[in-house]
Amino acid sequence: MKISRWCFGMVCTIGMALNACTGQSDGKDLDKEGISVVLLDNDQEDVSTMLLKKQKFYHELISNGKVAARKIAELRFETNEIVAKVYVKNGDRVQKGQKLAELDKFKLQNSLKQAEIALERAKLDLQDVLIGQGYTIDRLNEVPESIMKLAKVKSGYDQSLAQYELAKRAESQATLKAPFDGIVANLFTKPYNFANTAEPFCSILATNEIETDFMVLESELSLIKEGDRVIVTPYADSSVRYEGRVVEINPLVDSNGMVKVKALVKNKGGLFSGMNVRVSVRRTLSEQLVIPKTAVVLRSGRQVVFTLKNGMAVWNYVQTGLENADSCVVSNRADEGVTDGLVEGDSVIVSGNVNLANNTPVKLAQ
C-alpha cells in the first residue's frame, strides 16, 4: 500500500511538472474521481467477520498440580523372618487377594502348633475347675458369667487363647496379599533376605482413578465449584489429556492467598503417582456474548472491537470479562447501565483489525 501511494505521488509530481512546462490543465489528464476511486480500492483492508450472538461460554482456569493415587497401601511383614518367595515386581498390576510375597513359615507354623496344644490343655483345665464347682460337662452353658470368668483366669484359658490367636495371625500375615486392585511400587527386597519389619515391603497403588491436587487463587474461588470438569495434561506428554471432576475444595486460604482443590481423574494408564501436570478447570456458562480474543485490540490504552457496517470498520469501546485460551466474554450494550460494549447481531471483525481506525474502508477476505 505504501509503494502504491509513493508511485502515485511520483506520478502526480511528474504530471504537475509537465503541466507547468506545457501549460495544460491537469484536469484533462487525470480524473480526480477516478483517482479517489483507485485510492479507495487500494486503502481497503481485507478482514474476516463473525455474527455476534449469545452462546455457551466455557470458562477455563489454568493451574499446576500433582498426581496422587486415590488409594495407597503400604504393606509390611510383621515377623522378621527370611523372605522365601516374591511373586511380583514393580509395575505389575495385581488383583485383590493376589499373593505378593511370603516368608519362610517353619517357625511360625511351629509356634502356631504349640499355641494350639497349649489352648487344648487350658480347655481341659477350665473343665476341671468348673467340675470342681459342681457343674457337669454337659451343663457348661449354664455356668454364670462371673463364675466362668473366674474359672478361665484360674485355668489360664484366656491367656492361652490370646497366644493362639497371636500365633495364628503371625502365620497368616507371613503371606502378603493385595488389599485391592492396583499396581505394585517400591518393592526392593530380594528373596532369601530377612524381612525388615520397620519398613514397608512394597506399596499397592489404585490407579484406575487418581487424584490431582492443585492450587487456585482466593479471588478465583467464585469461578470453581464441585463437579466442574477438569482436563489434566502431564508435562511428560502434552499430547495426552485426561478428564475428571472437582471433588473437593479445602475451606482454608493459606498465607499466600491460595486454596487447595482436589479433582478425581480417570486414568488410562499414563498417570503415575507424584507426576506433575497442567490442570484446566472448565465451567460452562450460558447466554453470553462471546468473541475471539483476536477481535480485541488496544487503542489509547482501552479495549476496542471493530464491527463492519456499510463497508466501514466502526470503532466500539468494550469491556471483556471471563476468558479461556482463545475466547472471552464481552460486555453487552443492551444491558441496563452498559455504555461500552456490543449488541447481539453485530458483525464483529475478528482478523485484519490490527491497523484499523474508525470508519476505515474494509472488504471481506475471500
Side-chain angles (χ1 to χ4, degrees), residues 247-262:
V247 295
E248 182 180 312
I249 301 175
N250 188 30
L252 179 67
V253 180
D254 65 15
S255 59
N256 297 318
M258 306 294 287
V259 178
K260 180 177 286 188
V261 180
K262 182 176 292 185

Side-chain angles (χ1 to χ4, degrees), residues 88-358:
V88 294
K89 65 181 184 301
N90 286 325
D92 283 354
R93 292 190 174 273
V94 294
Q95 295 180 338
K96 181 178 180 180
Q98 181 177 334
K99 282 186 179 182
L100 307 177
E102 61 183 2
L103 302 175
D104 185 341
K105 296 184 179 181
F106 175 77
K107 290 183 179 180
L108 298 173
Q109 291 175 342
N110 188 270
S111 297
L112 177 60
K113 186 64 176 180
Q114 292 180 16
E116 187 177 359
I117 293 173
L119 179 61
E120 292 296 329
R121 185 182 300 112
K123 286 182 180 179
L124 295 176
D125 292 342
L126 175 62
Q127 291 177 2
D128 288 343
V129 172
L130 293 175
I131 290 173
Q133 294 291 325
Y135 297 97
T136 60
I137 295 178
D138 58 347
R139 295 176 53 213
L140 295 182
N141 57 342
E142 300 176 4
V143 179
E145 183 178 352
S146 57
I147 296 177
M148 178 63 76
K149 183 176 180 180
L150 183 62
K152 286 181 177 180
V153 173
K154 188 174 181 179
S155 63
Y157 176 82
D158 284 342
Q159 183 178 1
S160 298
L161 179 62
Q163 291 178 347
Y164 170 76
E165 291 177 346
L166 185 61
K168 185 176 181 181
R169 175 179 171 81
E171 194 272 341
S172 65
Q173 292 297 312
T175 302
L176 285 185
K177 296 181 180 180
F180 46 77
D181 295 352
I183 295 180
V184 179
N186 292 337
L187 196 165
F188 305 113
T189 304
K190 304 298 182 181
Y192 313 116
N193 293 279
F194 280 98
N196 186 353
T197 58
E199 297 179 357
F201 176 80
C202 70
S203 299
I204 302 297
L205 313 178
T207 57
N208 55 334
E209 286 188 324
I210 206 160
E211 293 177 343
T212 301
D213 293 332
F214 59 97
M215 307 297 289
V216 299
L217 292 171
E218 177 184 357
S219 59
E220 296 173 333
L221 275 178
S222 60
L223 305 177
I224 189 171
K225 65 178 182 179
E226 290 187 20
D228 283 349
R229 184 183 174 214
V230 170
I231 301 295
V232 172
T233 305
Y235 286 109
D237 186 359
S238 58
S239 64
V240 184
R241 295 153 56 97
Y242 301 86
E243 291 191 9
R245 297 285 177 183
V246 173
V247 295
E248 182 180 312
I249 301 175
N250 188 30
L252 179 67
V253 180
D254 65 15
S255 59
N256 297 318
M258 306 294 287
V259 178
K260 180 177 286 188
V261 180
K262 182 176 292 185
L264 190 61
V265 181
K266 294 181 180 179
N267 187 13
K268 297 179 288 187
L271 292 178
F272 295 164
S273 187
M275 182 176 283
N276 294 307
V277 294
R278 178 178 180 269
V279 182
S280 170
V281 183
R282 294 189 176 183
R283 187 177 180 186
T284 303
L285 303 175
S286 59
E287 297 301 313
Q288 306 287 327
L289 290 181
V290 181
I291 61 174
K293 287 184 177 180
T294 56
V296 183
V297 294
L298 290 179
R299 294 292 186 269
S300 302
R302 297 185 63 180
Q303 292 178 317
V304 170
V305 172
F306 289 97
T307 54
L308 179 62
K309 290 184 179 179
N310 301 322
M312 310 288 282
V314 179
W315 170 312
N316 301 272
Y317 286 118
V318 298
Q319 293 179 355
T320 58
L322 299 176
E323 61 182 50
N324 55 31
D326 53 17
S327 303
C328 62
V329 175
V330 68
S331 52
N332 190 345
R333 205 166 59 244
D335 294 341
E336 184 177 355
V338 178
T339 57
D340 294 342
L342 304 173
V343 293
E344 193 171 8
D346 280 345
S347 182
V348 177
I349 297 176
V350 297
S351 68
N353 55 349
V354 177
N355 298 316
L356 294 181
N358 192 31

